[in-house]
Amino acid sequence: MEEPFGPEYVRPAQPDCGRCGCCTAALCERGQHSPLRCYGHVDTEHRTTVEHCPCSAETTRHTTAWRMAQIRATRLAREQPLVAEVEELLRALAKGVQIEDPEELFPQLTLRGLGQLVHGMPAITSLGHTYLAARDDIRETTVVQVLDVDLKTRTARVEVAAWRPGELVTVLMDQIANDSGLNVESLPGRWLEAEANCGAENADRLALTAFRNSAPLPSGWVRVDGGATP
């Protein structure tokens, strides 16, 4: 049978991403909101090409991978901290001290993403600073209200009563659901509790963990001018 449109069909080329040069715009849009990053959304043939795409990297602020890495480092610091000798090494790197490492402890930091080699010299990573902050910060239980969720980006906007009432913070929707055991559909408008470093200077430094159902709120709690106020 003769094919009226020619022997083969070619999929129209997709626009390149204007930020990275290794992916299409559609791939980066998907990858930045996915724990799989761009790497996890291509076939084996193209993985080497997009493996280090900055648009979805955990070192790029506000990607899903970045948000997950912040929580991972915070939980590591609070729940399974490094042994004392390794943490001392990390603190020395944070101060810019040129270290000697006769016991070869530094690989324990690189394995966890807390350290890296820069021009052949050991150095702390941004995630390493997150770990140390989580070790040193005062964390407390606070009431949190979920304002809304975005199914496309898999994020939720929440208000943290003990931090800055009225200022919304973006967190991973699936983190809230997994921690609390609640369905995503039930999250908007719900009051929860979470652990937070309420002395954080900005939303990027605010690390929320351990979401759970809130105890009944005290009588008189209302929202005033967009904020949760007793």
Side-chain angles (χ1 to χ4, degrees):
M1 179 177 178
E2 184 177 351
E3 172 56 67
F5 299 104
E8 62 180 301
Y9 298 99
V10 178
R11 182 179 180 181
Q14 295 182 324
D16 291 334
C17 177
R19 294 173 296 175
C20 66
C22 60
C23 301
T24 64
L27 177 59
C28 285
E29 175 66 22
R30 187 177 185 184
Q32 67 179 317
H33 301 305
S34 168
L36 302 177
R37 303 181 289 118
C38 293
Y39 177 88
H41 295 285
V42 297
D43 55 31
T44 304
E45 178 184 358
H46 295 93
R47 285 182 178 173
T48 301
T49 302
V50 306
E51 182 177 7
H52 300 293
C53 177
C55 297
S56 61
E58 70 174 31
T59 53
T60 300
R61 288 181 182 274
H62 306 152
T63 65
T64 290
W66 177 81
R67 296 187 193 282
M68 291 179 64
Q70 300 304 301
I71 297 306
R72 184 175 71 247
T74 299
R75 293 192 60 184
L76 177 69
R78 307 301 294 194
E79 300 171 16
Q80 295 180 308
L82 302 169
V83 297
E85 296 81 1
V86 179
E87 185 168 307
E88 288 174 9
L89 181 66
L90 186 64
R91 290 188 182 278
L93 293 174
K95 295 176 182 177
V97 176
Q98 188 172 1
I99 65 167
E100 295 183 3
D101 186 21
E103 298 182 15
E104 297 185 351
L105 301 176
F106 184 68
Q108 296 188 42
L109 297 178
T110 60
L111 180 66
R112 295 170 173 83
L114 308 180
Q116 63 183 343
L117 290 176
V118 177
H119 304 302
M121 299 296 295
I124 189 172
T125 64
S126 175
L127 210 58
H129 286 292
T130 298
Y131 171 91
L132 291 179
R135 288 287 288 157
D136 298 337
D137 285 347
I138 297 174
R139 295 185 64 80
E140 58 186 294
T141 300
T142 177
V143 175
V144 175
Q145 187 181 27
V146 181
L147 275 297
D148 53 41
V149 299
D150 186 328
L151 295 177
K152 181 179 179 181
T153 63
R154 308 294 295 179
T155 57
R157 295 191 306 164
V158 305
E159 183 180 350
V160 184
W163 183 59
R164 295 178 184 173
E167 183 168 339
L168 302 187
V169 179
T170 300
V171 298
L172 294 175
M173 177 183 73
D174 293 309
Q175 179 199 355
I176 301 176
N178 291 337
D179 283 359
S180 66
L182 296 169
N183 294 327
V184 167
E185 295 78 9
S186 70
L187 294 180
R190 185 179 287 271
W191 291 91
L192 302 169
E193 289 181 349
E195 304 299 317
N197 52 329
C198 294
E201 62 268 23
N202 56 53
D204 283 350
R205 280 275 293 110
L206 185 68
L208 294 165
T209 60
F211 287 92
R212 55 193 179 271
N213 269 316
S214 172
L217 293 176
S219 175
W221 274 67
V222 295
R223 293 185 57 81
V224 178
D225 297 329
T229 308

